[in-house]
Amino acid sequence: MFGIFSYDIASPRVGVKHHDHILDLEIVGLLGYFNELDVDPAVFAKPVLNDFIELGKPVWQAVGRRVKELLSNEQTAFEGVHDQVLIHESRATMHLPVRIGDYTDFYAGIHHAENVGRMFRPDGDPLLPNYRHMPVAYHGRSSSIVVSGTPIRWPKGQFLQQGTPEFGSSQALDFELELGLVIGRNSRLGESVTVEEAEDYIFGVTLFNDWSARDIQRWEYQPLGPFLGKNFGSSMSAWVVPFDDLEPFRVGGPVQEPTPLPYLQASSPGHFDLTLEVMLNDVVISRTNAQYLYWSFAQMVAHHTVNGCNLNVGDVLATGTISGTEPGSYGSLLELSWNGERPLVLPGLDESADSKRTFLQDGDTVVIRGISTKHGHTVELGEVKGTIFS
Amino acid sequence: MFGIFSYDIASPRVGVKHHDHILDLEIVGLLGYFNELDVDPAVFAKPVLNDFIELGKPVWQAVGRRVKELLSNEQTAFEGVHDQVLIHESRATMHLPVRIGDYTDFYAGIHHAENVGRMFRPDGDPLLPNYRHMPVAYHGRSSSIVVSGTPIRWPKGQFLQQGTPEFGSSQALDFELELGLVIGRNSRLGESVTVEEAEDYIFGVTLFNDWSARDIQRWEYQPLGPFLGKNFGSSMSAWVVPFDDLEPFRVGGPVQEPTPLPYLQASSPGHFDLTLEVMLNDVVISRTNAQYLYWSFAQMVAHHTVNGCNLNVGDVLATGTISGTEPGSYGSLLELSWNGERPLVLPGLDESADSKRTFLQDGDTVVIRGISTKHGHTVELGEVKGTIFS
């Protein structure tokens, strides 16, 4: 996992997480460990990963391989310089890993979309007619994306109270469990990325919490979509998992019926069996899996660019809320409490007011984390954490 | 008007438009003309205006005053260096004037919103219930904003054909006449900008064309708003007009009824009497005015930040399509041709197929321009131009 960290007097730089330590790639580079690779250590002395990512996939892969080789044998490889190159994470401050040009949020979690449809359009088909034809998405706000651990200020805004618009603090604050893709390669304005080449445009994956004020969102979102109900803050994990590390977890996705248009048809599986969970104040309230996404990452990239829209290194494409089929696998409080109708009793606690939740309360901490093991391979996605304060 | 230009071997730099010449602020600074101001000429040797804007309003104002003073007396002021500091625009290449972090598009043109409502929801109130309570907006794509003159590639995508989604070139390509505000000051995440202080966050104004593929937009936009119907390209004028230059054109806006919530109530007029027009292939097809906007610029800024969303220098807030009350003052072909029902015959031409338009045709050139005169003051907004090619 690549991230940006600073420590003591050392300014932000690129690091790789290794258990409870962080490998300082700038120092590793200056000590000559990357001499056989075509990479200038200066690219690691940057406050964002963008410059490193721009070197291209062969370089990320070569650096990744070299780092794994060194860390598999760290005592010998770093003899005499161990304390210089491996920094205990308690000394480190983490930073937002990329400079994000544009942030797009998809709606690819089909069970989430169905649940929202059932709640808000009880008499119609839970899915809108376009849902199974395209990965529906909207543009979000990049300026308010913060790194895991950054407190999130309780948003104020307009919402309906007994049919009248009022101004105040949101009364329906929620999280959304998502994955975020970090774009690894620029595409050209006016040109499309095909679904077959789409994965080459992904540098890696992060955990993403798209905080949502449901009451603000509900009042504002017609006809142009979510705006202030979302853009007060989104949280992203500090570590970006290289896309290649997901390979052992590749699986086929759900049957897509009707068959998508040709530009969305891929010849190989594009989904990933990744276990994800949400903790509210240290209690696990949901366990789900990235397999529940209807649309694959490759389909998201292909759809996003089919009209010629250009992607840039560092852009983030989030998946939308990932919910499973059962209540214990829903990725938002909106669904877990069924729009407040069925307060969630935090497991392991009694039924006092404090242990019940419809939406978030002041001081609540939400952690989304992911670790998956399959056929002897383990991938850690780390965590994204945020505490709400007013 | 400030912009970014390059010429001959000179790399992109800040310029001020002066008739058909451009004043090179880097050279002017290096020659000592700004010595009495607290400004390093290096800030003008940049490929975007952001660094200059970040110096703050007192600096923009001081530089603006000094430049006006010099240009009012150019022969004397620049004696001996005239050809060095004033470059004929035919030698210049213009660049996108700012590095845009986030781009937001409002929907503040009430007559446009009403026309769209009448066309697509003929049986209901043309305005949705939230319209008169808040400046409705959505986030757009910043990566695909291009400077005036850049050709726009005809977008492909999904749209309904006799009820079935098909893939192909858009058959309903449109322009949208808008103004764009360039943000001049960072606000802090978690804090709101009040409506009274909002104008201090605006550096200047540009002309903006939010190209739209109506068929793609119509099929994709529920429930999360416009995406591929818009993000294939937006055009912005090369010149940013300092906000102060609009002062002589300040007017009261429309009566806002019902009275907006207090955070949207301003004590002074916040609208501007600016004449705008659209030319299609050199024929004027619409004349309108920025006064037709329902919400003021200050209200847009206050609403955008009321939930704590942060603005950054260089962000663009566009107004949404500005239409007047009469057909000849509509700001999009969607309205001018009433969704294709009443083909527009280009004035001055015969009624042959080529002179009729429902939506745009391959090779069409759209120019939006603005020049206003009032009480002896003139403000030129320049133009934004784009040609569609497939």
Side-chain angles (χ1 to χ4, degrees), chain B residues 171-352:
Chain B
Q171 296 172 18
L173 192 55
D174 202 354
F175 65 85
E176 289 192 336
L177 178 161
E178 308 196 9
L179 290 176
L181 307 178
V182 174
I183 293 298
R185 183 173 162 186
N186 298 335
S187 73
R188 287 166 61 100
L189 184 60
E191 294 182 7
S192 310
V193 175
T194 69
V195 70
E196 297 299 344
E197 65 191 351
E199 288 185 355
D200 285 339
Y201 285 76
I202 303 172
F203 170 72
V205 175
T206 70
L207 294 167
F208 200 87
N209 181 348
D210 182 34
W211 304 94
S212 299
R214 301 296 178 192
D215 42 5
I216 296 173
Q217 184 184 349
R218 201 166 306 146
W219 170 228
E220 74 176 355
Y221 89 107
Q222 286 289 6
L224 300 181
F227 184 55
L228 300 187
K230 299 277 194 176
N231 66 11
F232 59 90
S234 308
S235 301
M236 180 166 149
S237 53
W239 298 103
V240 186
V241 180
F243 196 65
D244 282 349
D245 290 4
L246 304 186
E247 203 51 57
F249 303 88
R250 189 183 288 274
V251 289
V255 175
Q256 295 185 331
E257 182 55 46
T259 305
L261 284 161
Y263 80 91
L264 292 171
Q265 291 172 19
S267 59
S268 52
H271 281 68
F272 295 88
D273 176 8
L274 302 170
T275 305
L276 303 165
E277 64 181 22
V278 184
M279 296 200 305
L280 175 58
N281 301 339
D282 298 326
V283 176
V284 174
I285 58 168
S286 180
R287 283 200 177 83
T288 185
N289 193 294
Q291 273 192 82
Y292 288 121
L293 291 167
Y294 188 77
W295 298 101
S296 71
F297 300 155
Q299 288 174 317
M300 293 178 206
V301 170
H303 183 66
H304 203 316
T305 59
V306 75
N307 67 341
C309 179
N310 55 330
L311 301 178
N312 287 320
V313 163
D315 287 348
V316 170
L317 274 56
T319 57
T321 309
I322 304 174
S323 291
T325 50
E326 301 304 315
S329 63
Y330 294 164
S332 67
L333 280 175
L334 176 71
E335 297 162 271
L336 289 164
S337 78
W338 208 255
N339 196 26
E341 287 173 23
R342 308 172 198 161
L344 185 73
V345 180
L346 298 186
L349 299 179
D350 63 21
E351 293 201 22
S352 68

Side-chain angles (χ1 to χ4, degrees), chain B residues 349-369:
Chain B
L349 299 179
D350 63 21
E351 293 201 22
S352 68
D354 248 23
S355 73
K356 281 192 189 174
R357 284 294 180 284
T358 49
F359 293 100
L360 294 172
Q361 290 180 9
D362 194 13
D364 276 352
T365 295
V366 176
V367 174
I368 299 168
R369 59 187 187 185

Side-chain angles (χ1 to χ4, degrees), chain A residues 51-91:
Chain A
D51 304 81
F52 169 56
I53 298 175
E54 277 170 7
L55 296 180
K57 191 166 180 172
V59 175
W60 327 326
Q61 290 179 322
V63 168
R65 275 192 304 269
R66 179 74 176 132
V67 164
K68 276 184 187 139
E69 178 186 283
L70 292 166
L71 289 175
S72 69
N73 185 24
E74 57 174 298
Q75 294 306 335
T76 313
F78 294 127
E79 199 179 342
V81 296
H82 198 271
D83 291 354
Q84 239 181 301
V85 297
L86 279 155
I87 314 303
H88 195 274
E89 61 184 5
S90 62
R91 288 167 63 195

Side-chain angles (χ1 to χ4, degrees), chain A residues 102 130 133-134 138-139 141-143 156 158 165 190 219 222 224 228 231 261 263 303 307 310 315, chain B residues 102 130 133-134 138-139 141-143 153 156 158 165 219 222 224 228 231 261 263 303 307 310 315:
Chain A
D102 282 290
N130 55 16
H133 292 281
M134 64 169 74
Y138 68 103
H139 287 296
R141 183 86 190 168
S142 60
S143 72
K156 296 190 176 80
Q158 274 194 46
W219 171 229
Q222 287 288 7
L224 300 182
L228 300 186
N231 66 12
L261 284 161
Y263 79 91
H303 184 65
N307 68 341
N310 55 331
D315 287 349
Chain B
D102 282 290
N130 55 17
H133 292 282
M134 63 168 74
Y138 69 102
H139 288 295
R141 182 85 192 172
S142 60
S143 72
R153 186 138 183 199
K156 296 189 174 84
Q158 274 193 46
W219 170 228
Q222 286 289 6
L224 300 181
L228 300 187
N231 66 11
L261 284 161
Y263 80 91
H303 183 66
N307 67 341
N310 55 330
D315 287 348

Side-chain angles (χ1 to χ4, degrees), chain B residues 11-181:
Chain B
S11 58
R13 65 219 21 252
V14 178
V16 167
K17 187 162 161 65
H18 180 57
H19 309 305
D20 52 3
H21 282 72
I22 303 171
L23 187 67
D24 182 331
L25 293 201
E26 191 204 1
I27 305 290
V28 171
L30 291 174
L31 290 172
Y33 287 95
F34 296 144
N35 280 359
E36 288 167 33
L37 312 178
D38 183 22
V39 55
D40 178 349
V43 82
F44 300 119
K46 302 277 186 176
V48 285
L49 292 173
N50 298 56
D51 304 81
F52 170 57
I53 298 174
E54 276 170 9
L55 297 179
K57 190 166 179 170
V59 176
W60 327 326
Q61 290 178 323
V63 169
R65 276 192 304 270
R66 179 72 176 131
V67 165
K68 277 185 186 139
E69 181 185 283
L70 293 166
L71 289 176
S72 69
N73 186 23
E74 57 175 297
Q75 294 306 336
T76 313
F78 294 127
E79 198 178 345
V81 296
H82 198 271
D83 292 351
Q84 237 181 303
V85 298
L86 280 155
I87 314 303
H88 195 275
E89 60 184 5
S90 61
R91 287 169 61 196
T93 300
M94 300 307 301
H95 303 269
L96 194 68
V98 279
R99 185 179 53 248
I100 302 167
D102 282 290
Y103 152 51
T104 304
D105 198 20
F106 282 83
Y107 196 49
I110 190 167
H111 305 302
H112 169 71
E114 283 174 334
N115 285 336
V116 172
R118 281 190 196 107
M119 277 182 254
F120 299 123
R121 296 182 306 274
D123 300 326
D125 189 331
L127 294 178
L128 288 170
N130 55 17
Y131 192 88
R132 290 177 190 271
H133 292 282
M134 63 168 74
V136 169
Y138 69 102
H139 288 295
R141 182 85 192 172
S142 60
S143 72
S144 54
I145 299 176
V146 295
V147 70
S148 175
T150 309
I152 297 289
R153 186 138 183 199
W154 198 286
K156 296 189 174 84
Q158 274 193 46
F159 45 86
L160 289 184
Q161 288 271 55
Q162 280 134 12
T164 306
E166 303 275 346
F167 178 80
S169 291
S170 168
Q171 296 172 18
L173 192 55
D174 202 354
F175 65 85
E176 289 192 336
L177 178 161
E178 308 196 9
L179 290 176
L181 307 178

